[in-house]
Amino acid sequence: MPSAIDEIDDISARDIAILKARIEHPTASVRVLKERLEDEYGISLSHNRVNDILRELSDKDVFRQVSLLNESFFEYHLFQIAFHYPNFEDRWEECYDDLMNDPHVLMFFNADDYHHWQFIARFRKHEKSETWKHEFFKKHGDLIAQFDSSSLPEIHKFRNDTEVLEQILHETEEGEKFVKNNDGETEDREEDLDDETERVVATDGGAND
């Protein structure tokens, strides 16, 4: 089965715009998203069709509907593992499964590095991380040749920026059309607000006179 990265080329500019709208408004109803898509991008679809597209994107694992705790609630740590290869074949799978299922592990990835496995974990208190490392080594120490850890005392950015999706829209002619429509809508709204402000000022001025 192809990964979401492989399937991204099969996603139309229209669907990227729908994905962008969902990420920007994660709690909005599908009906509200339908109206925003029509107002901002000129995309006219029924709310049922918008819902179907979102479900298809979710099935492709392009996005996930999750709730994120405030990053300040935790302390974060970067852990890096280099393997003791004589034990790798017999021991890697159990360790892998434990990391995949561990609720402390926020992100787990391979790296093109001596430390082939790296992951970011979160804990409420520093002593909790120390206890976790102790228990991890007791169970999986014979797999590990080297284990490095770094505390991440401040998280400066922890979010998905939808601007990256807008950059993808700029890559196709269809996407450019949606972006230009959105820009035009924004300019029209600003002009409408300016006109409304002038009318209010004029009315207030007459009343004060």
Side-chain angles (χ1 to χ4, degrees):
M1 179 180 292
S3 68
I5 292 175
D6 297 325
E7 293 182 339
I8 194 72
D9 291 335
D10 298 328
I11 299 175
S12 69
R14 179 205 63 185
D15 291 358
I16 292 291
I18 293 172
L19 178 61
K20 183 173 182 287
R22 167 50 77 202
I23 293 173
E24 288 176 338
H25 309 286
T27 61
S29 69
V30 176
R31 290 183 184 275
V32 170
L33 287 183
K34 169 198 175 299
E35 294 170 359
R36 287 188 174 277
L37 289 165
E38 190 160 359
D39 292 342
E40 297 176 9
Y41 295 105
I43 297 174
S44 297
L45 296 169
S46 70
H47 72 276
N48 287 327
R49 182 60 184 137
V50 172
N51 192 52
D52 288 342
I53 291 168
L54 288 171
R55 187 180 297 112
E56 291 166 7
L57 293 174
S58 179
D59 290 342
K60 288 182 177 181
D61 212 21
V62 174
F63 83 104
R64 297 167 184 167
Q65 300 183 30
V66 298
S67 297
L68 295 176
L69 288 164
N70 188 314
E71 64 273 15
S72 300
F73 190 69
F74 293 103
E75 291 182 355
Y76 292 83
H77 298 262
L78 172 65
F79 296 133
Q80 301 172 295
I81 296 175
F83 301 130
H84 178 60
Y85 279 99
N87 295 332
F88 180 79
E89 186 174 353
D90 294 331
R91 300 289 290 116
W92 77 268
E93 193 166 5
E94 182 182 17
C95 184
Y96 177 89
D97 289 342
D98 283 352
L99 290 174
M100 287 293 292
N101 295 316
D102 194 303
H104 297 97
V105 176
L106 178 65
M107 179 182 292
F108 174 30
F109 48 92
N110 287 356
D112 185 13
D113 186 81
Y114 173 66
H115 299 89
H116 194 64
W117 281 0
Q118 302 188 19
F119 56 98
I120 296 174
R122 55 191 174 184
F123 304 90
R124 276 292 290 149
K125 301 291 183 182
H126 179 73
E127 56 268 23
K128 297 293 184 182
S129 69
E130 292 300 313
T131 300
W132 186 93
K133 284 191 289 184
H134 177 73
E135 294 299 322
F136 184 78
F137 267 96
K138 279 175 59 177
K139 186 172 184 180
H140 302 293
D142 56 353
L143 175 65
I144 299 169
Q146 185 171 336
F147 184 95
D148 289 345
S149 65
S150 301
S151 176
L152 309 177
E154 292 187 40
I155 304 296
H156 299 289
K157 184 174 182 180
F158 192 88
R159 66 176 183 270
N160 285 315
D161 280 341
T162 57
E163 285 82 357
V164 70
L165 296 176
E166 186 158 330
Q167 291 173 8
I168 295 175
L169 287 175
H170 280 293
E171 294 173 1
T172 63
E173 185 176 335
E174 182 186 16
E176 281 281 3
K177 180 183 69 174
F178 294 143
V179 172
K180 287 178 180 177
N181 186 83
N182 192 13
D183 291 342
E185 287 289 341
T186 301
E187 291 170 2
D188 290 344
R189 288 176 183 174
E190 288 175 351
E191 290 175 2
D192 291 342
L193 287 172
D194 289 343
D195 292 342
E196 182 65 26
T197 301
E198 290 177 2
R199 286 196 293 272
V200 170
V201 170
T203 303
D204 289 347
N208 290 333
D209 291 344

